[in-house]
C-alpha cells in the first residue's frame, strides 16, 4: 500500500505495535533497483511488517547537485517493493516531511549534525552538509515509523557508519542491519545514478570495481603499503575518469589507516563522464 502522509504511517504503526509486531524501515530515494531489493528482502525476512520510504530528500543535496534531475519512478518502485513483500511504501512530499513552505536551512529547521571527524572526509569533503541532511531525514523516518530494525546498504559505507554513530550517541531504540553491495554481472555496483550513464559510461564505470578488486588482490599477495596500493589504481584510469578520492580507513570508525590490514575499508569516489559514482571494498 502506498501512502504520502505521515499520519497514515503512524496509524499503521500504532496498530502493528499493539499487535506486538516487529517493524522494519528501508529508507530509499527511489528509482529502486536490485540493490534496494536486497535490503527489502532482508527486511521482509527479519521483520513482521516492512515500510519502504521513497523520498528524494532535498536537504541532503548541495546547490550544484542533481536534486532536480534525480530519477523519480514511484509507480515502478511501489510494484517492486510490494512484489518483494513490503507492507507500506511511504512517499512523502518535501512539504509533508518538513512543513509547508518551510525554508530548508538550518536557520529554520532542527538538524542532526554528525561529528566533524566523521563528515570532514571522503564524501563529506565535497558534499558539505550532505550527512546533516541524511541524518536529519533518517532520524525523522525512525521516529515516524518507530521501527525496530533499519536496513542500510554497505554501498554507502560512510553513511552507514555515521548513522550507526548517531544511533549509538543518541540512544535511538533501533537495530541497524548493514547489507552487502549488490553488483550487476559486470561487477558495477548498482546505483540509481547508473541511469545517467550510456553504454560507454558503464564500461568506464567498471574501473571503480577493478581498482578495488586489484587492491584487494595485491593486499592478499602481501602488499600493505598504502601508497603502493594506491599507485596500482592508475592503470585503470583514463580521460573519462575524474578521481575524487581513493582512501584507506578503519571499517568501523573511519580512522585513516597508515598501513593496510584486515580491518581496512577502501573507498573510492570518481566522476565518470560527469556522473559521480562511489564504491568500496573491505580487505579481509
Ligand atoms: P539510495 O536510494 O541511493 O539513497 O539508497 C537507499 C539504500 O539502498 C541505502 O542504504 C543504500 O546504501 C542502499 N543501496 C543502494 N545501492 C545499493 C547496492 N548496489 N547494494 C546494496 N545496497 C544499496
Amino acid at each position: 500500500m502506498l501512502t504520502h502522509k505521515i499520519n497514515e504511517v503512524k496509524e499503521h504503526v500504532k496498530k502493528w505495535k499493539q499487535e506486538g509486531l516487529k517493524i522494519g524501515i528501508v529508507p530509499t530515494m527511489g528509482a529502486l533497483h536490485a540493490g534496494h531489493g536486497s535490503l527489502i528482502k532482508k527486511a521482509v525476512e527479519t521483520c513482521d511488517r516492512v515500510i519502504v520510504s521513497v523520498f528524494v530528500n532535498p536537504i541532503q543535496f548541495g546547490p550544484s547537485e542533481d536534486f532536480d534531475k534525480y530519477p523519480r519512478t514511484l509507480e515502478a518502485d511501489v510494484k517492486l517493493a510490494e512484489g518483494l513483500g513490503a507492507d507500506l511504501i511511504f512517499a512523502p512530499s518535501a512539504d509533508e516531511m518538513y512543513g509547508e513552505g518551510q525554508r530548508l536551512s538550518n536557520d529554520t529547521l532542527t538538524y542532526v549534525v554528525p561529528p566533524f571527524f566523521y563528515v570532514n572526509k571522503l564524501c563529506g569533503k565535497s558534499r558539505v552538509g550532505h550527512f546533516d541532511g541524511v541524518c536529519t531525514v533518517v532520524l525523522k523516518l525512525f521516529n515516524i515509523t518507530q521501527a525496530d530494525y533499519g536496513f542500510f546498504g554497505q554501498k554507502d559505507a560512510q553513511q552507514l557508519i555515521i548513522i550507526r554513530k548517531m544511533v549509538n550517541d543518541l540512544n535511538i531504540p533501533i537495530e541497524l542491519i548493514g547489507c552487502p553491495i549488490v553488483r550487476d554481472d559486470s561487477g558495477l555496483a548498482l546505483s540509481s545514478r547508473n541511469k545517467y550513464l550510456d553504454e560507454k559510461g558503464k564500461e568506464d564505470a567498471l574501473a571503480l570495481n577493478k581498482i578495488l578488486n586489484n587492491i584487494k588482490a595485491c593486499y592478499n599477495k602481501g602488499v600493505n603499503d598504502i601508497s603502493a596500493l594506491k599507485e596500482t589504481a592508475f592503470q585503470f584510469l583514463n580521460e573519462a575518469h575524474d578521481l575524487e578520492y581513493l582512501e584507506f580507513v578503519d571499517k568501523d570508525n573511519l580512522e585513516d589507516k597508515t598501513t593496510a590490514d584486515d580491518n581496512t575499508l577502501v573507498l573510492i569516489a570518481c566522476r565518470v563522464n560527469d556522473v559521480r559514482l562511489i564504491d568500496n571494498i573491505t580487505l579481509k
Side-chain angles (χ1 to χ4, degrees), residues 232-252:
T232 67
F234 291 101
Q235 61 190 294
F236 300 102
L237 297 173
N238 60 42
E239 62 289 340
H241 302 107
D242 181 9
L243 182 66
E244 185 179 308
Y245 65 72
L246 174 63
E247 299 290 354
F248 291 61
V249 302
D250 185 283
K251 70 175 175 49
D252 297 316

Side-chain angles (χ1 to χ4, degrees), residues 22-26 46-47 142 147-151 174-177:
K22 291 281 174 222
I23 299 171
I25 173 72
V26 183
T46 315
C47 307
F142 288 171
D148 302 281
Y149 297 92
F151 296 83
I174 191 164
E175 189 175 325
L176 299 181
I177 313 272

Side-chain angles (χ1 to χ4, degrees), residues 27-29 33 35-36 39 70 152-153 155-156 159 180-182 190:
T28 82
M29 297 205 300
H33 50 63
H36 300 109
L39 271 55
Y70 196 85
F152 293 86
K155 161 90 182 351
D156 298 271
Q159 167 176 286
I181 301 177
V182 177
L190 297 185

